[in-house]
C-alpha cells in the first residue's frame, strides 16, 4: 500500500457536512453514556434485577467490579489499539466495528429480565458495552484531526461535545416521558407495562436504535485514513510487539516534546475532577442542599444544557487564544464556585452556583481534546488518544477517593466538595507549567482554505 506524508491527513475531511456527520456520532453515542450507563439501565440492574440476589455482595458492588474489569481491559489495550488503527489505515473501520459491538450489547439488554438470575447477563453486557464504547472513542477522537483544520479544531471539538450533551438530554426526555414517568403497572405516555421490567428493556432497544441511526453519517461522510509513514512497523506488529513500538514512540516523545506526556498526566487528573462534578452532583443536591428528588433530573438536564452552551462559546476562544487558556480559566472558575458552595445552603444557592460550576465543565473537556489533537504527531492521533484514555483510567479513583475521604474525616457530605476541588486544583497546578500549543500549530501543515473553515 502506498504511504502518504502524515501531515496530508490533517484537515483531510474538514467540510461542513463532514463535521456535522462526525458530531452526530457524539449525539448518538450519548444513548449509551446517559441512558444505559448512568441513569436508566444500570439503575434497573442494581435496584430491580438484583433486588433479591443471595449472598453478602450487593448488586451495586458487582456492578462496580464489572465496570472496573472493563476499565482495566480498556486501559491496557487502548494505546496499542489506537496505534494499530492509525498505522494499518483502519481508523474508520475500527470505529464501525466497535460501535456495532456496543450497539449489539445494548440490544441484547432486552433479554435481561427482572430476576436476579439475569443479573450476570446484564453485568456482562454492561461491561462489554462499556469497553467497546470507550475503545470506539479512541478512533472517533482521533478523527478530530481529519475533520478540522488547525484554525478550527477548537470549534469542531466544542461542537462534538455539545452534540453529545444535547443528544443525551433529548433521548433521556424521550425515554422518561415515553416509557418511565408515572405510577402503577403501566408507565409513560405509551403506557408500557412494567411487568418483568418490560418498559426498561424497551428503553435499551430505543437507545440502541438511536445510537445506530446517528452513528451512520460519519461512516459514510468521512473517508478512511490513508496509510501514512508516521509510525514505522506498527501496522505489521503482533500484539506484544505493539507494546515495544509504543515504548519506542513514548521515548521519542520524551526526547522531542515532553509537554505531550506532561499534558496526558495533568489532563488525566483534572478530567477525573470534571467527572466527579457530575458523579456526585446529584448526591450533594439531595443530601446537602435539599433539592427535591423529583427536581434532580431537572437540574441534571439544566447542567447538561449549560455545559453544552459553555463548550460552544468557549470553543471560539480555544481557536483564537489556544486551549490552555480555556482550560485554566475553566478550572479556576470551577474551584471558585466549589469554594462558594462550601458556605452556602438551600436549593436556590445550589441552582445558581451549581449551574455556574457546570457551565465550565464542557469548555474544559472540549479544550482538553483539542489540546491533545494539536500536540499529536500527524498520523499517530489514535495512539495518543489511546494513551489519553489509559491515563484517564489510571487516575479515575482520585475524585471518588478524595470525596469519600473528606466525607468520612469530617462526617459531612458537604465536606466531599473539598475533595473534588482538590482534584481540580491539582490538575490545574500540573497543567500550568506545560507550554500551550499555538492556536494553529501543526508544523508543516498547509493552511486551510476558506471552504474548509467553520464560520
Amino acid at each position: 500500500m502506498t504511504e502518504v506524508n502524515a501531515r496530508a491527513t490533517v484537515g483531510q475531511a474538514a467540510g461542513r457536512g463532514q463535521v456535522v456527520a462526525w458530531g452526530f456520532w457524539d449525539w448518538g453515542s450519548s444513548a449509551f453514556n446517559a441512558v444505559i450507563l448512568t441513569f436508566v439501565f444500570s439503575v434497573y440492574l442494581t435496584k430491580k434485577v438484583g433486588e433479591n440476589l443471595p449472598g453478602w455482595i450487593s448488586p451495586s458492588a458487582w456492578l462496580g467490579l464489572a465496570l472496573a474489569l472493563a476499565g482495566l481491559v480498556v486501559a491496557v489495550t487502548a494505546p496499542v489499539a489506537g496505534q494499530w488503527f492509525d498505522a494499518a489505515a483502519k481508523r474508520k473501520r475500527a470505529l464501525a466495528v466497535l460501535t456495532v459491538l456496543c450497539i449489539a450489547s445494548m440490544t441484547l439488554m432486552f433479554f435481561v429480565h427482572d430476576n436476579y438470575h439475569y443479573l450476570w447477563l446484564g453485568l456482562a453486557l454492561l461491561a462489554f458495552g462499556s469497553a467497546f464504547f470507550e475503545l470506539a472513542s479512541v478512533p472517533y477522537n482521533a478523527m478530530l484531526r481529519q475533520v478540522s483544520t488547525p484554525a478550527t479544531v477548537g470549534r469542531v471539538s466544542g461542537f462534538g461535545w455539545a452534540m453529545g450533551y444535547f443528544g443525551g438530554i433529548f433521548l433521556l426526555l424521550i425515554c422518561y416521558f415515553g416509557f418511565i414517568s408515572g405510577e402503577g403497572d403501566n408507565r409513560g405516555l405509551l403506557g408500557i407495562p412494567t411487568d418483568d421490567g418490560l418498559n426498561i428493556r424497551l428503553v435499551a432497544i430505543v437507545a440502541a436504535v438511536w445510537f445506530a441511526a446517528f452513528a451512520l453519517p460519519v461512516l459514510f461522510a468521512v473517508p478512511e485514513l490513508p496509510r501514512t509513514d508516521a509510525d514505522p512497523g506498527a501496522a505489521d506488529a503482533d500484539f506484544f510487539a505493539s507494546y515495544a513500538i509504543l515504548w519506542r514512540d513514548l521515548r521519542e516523545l520524551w526526547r522531542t516534546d515532553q509537554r505531550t506526556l506532561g499534558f496526558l498526566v495533568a489532563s488525566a487528573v483534572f478530567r477525573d475532577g470534571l467527572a466527579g462534578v457530575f458523579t456526585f452532583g446529584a448526591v450533594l443536591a439531595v443530601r446537602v442542599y435539599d433539592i427535591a428528588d423529583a427536581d434532580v433530573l431537572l437540574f441534571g438536564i439544566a447542567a447538561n444544557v449549560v455545559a453544552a452552551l459553555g463548550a460552544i462559546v468557549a470553543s471560539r476562544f480555544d481557536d483564537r487564544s489556544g486551549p490552555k487558556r480555556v482550560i485554566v480559566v475553566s478550572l479556576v472558575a470551577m474551584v471558585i464556585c466549589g469554594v462558594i458552595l462550601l458556605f452556602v445552603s438551600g436549593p436556590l444557592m445550589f441552582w445558581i452556583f451549581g449551574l455556574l460550576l457546570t457551565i465550565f465543565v464542557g469548555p474544559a473537556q472540549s479544550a482538553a481534546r483539542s489540546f491533545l489533537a494539536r500536540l499529536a504527531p500527524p498520523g499517530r492521533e489514535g495512539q495518543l488518544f489511546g494513551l489519553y484514555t489509559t491515563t484517564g483510567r489510571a487516575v479515575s479513583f482520585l475524585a471518588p477517593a478524595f470525596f469519600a475521604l473528606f466525607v468520612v474525616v469530617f462526617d459531612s457530605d458537604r465536606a466531599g466538595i473539598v475533595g473534588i476541588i482538590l482534584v481540580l486544583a491539582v490538575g490545574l497546578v500540573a497543567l500550568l507549567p506545560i507550554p500551550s500549543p499555538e492556536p494553529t500549530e501543526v508544523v508543516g501543515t498547509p493552511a486551510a482554505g476558506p471552504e474548509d473553515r467553520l464560520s
Side-chain angles (χ1 to χ4, degrees), residues 269-278 280 284 289 330-344 353 357 398-404 406 413-430:
V269 177
F270 72 69
R271 283 186 288 130
D272 192 53
L274 299 177
V277 171
F278 279 103
F280 299 106
L284 293 169
Y289 298 96
S330 297
L331 294 179
V332 168
M334 292 177 72
V335 168
I336 292 172
C337 289
V339 171
I340 293 173
L341 282 169
L342 277 173
F343 299 100
V344 299
F353 291 103
L357 188 149
L398 284 176
F402 277 96
F403 180 88
F406 279 89
D413 288 342
R414 182 188 292 269
I417 299 172
V418 178
I420 298 174
I421 292 173
L422 186 61
V423 174
L424 291 171
V426 170
L428 172 62
V429 171

Side-chain angles (χ1 to χ4, degrees), residues 328-372:
V328 169
V329 169
S330 297
L331 294 179
V332 168
M334 292 177 72
V335 168
I336 292 172
C337 289
V339 171
I340 293 173
L341 282 169
L342 277 173
F343 299 100
V344 299
S345 298
L348 179 60
M349 291 294 99
F350 185 78
W351 273 94
I352 293 172
F353 291 103
L355 289 181
L356 279 175
L357 188 149
T358 55
I359 200 172
F360 292 101
V361 173
Q365 289 174 322
S366 173
R369 180 163 66 179
S370 73
F371 196 118
L372 186 59

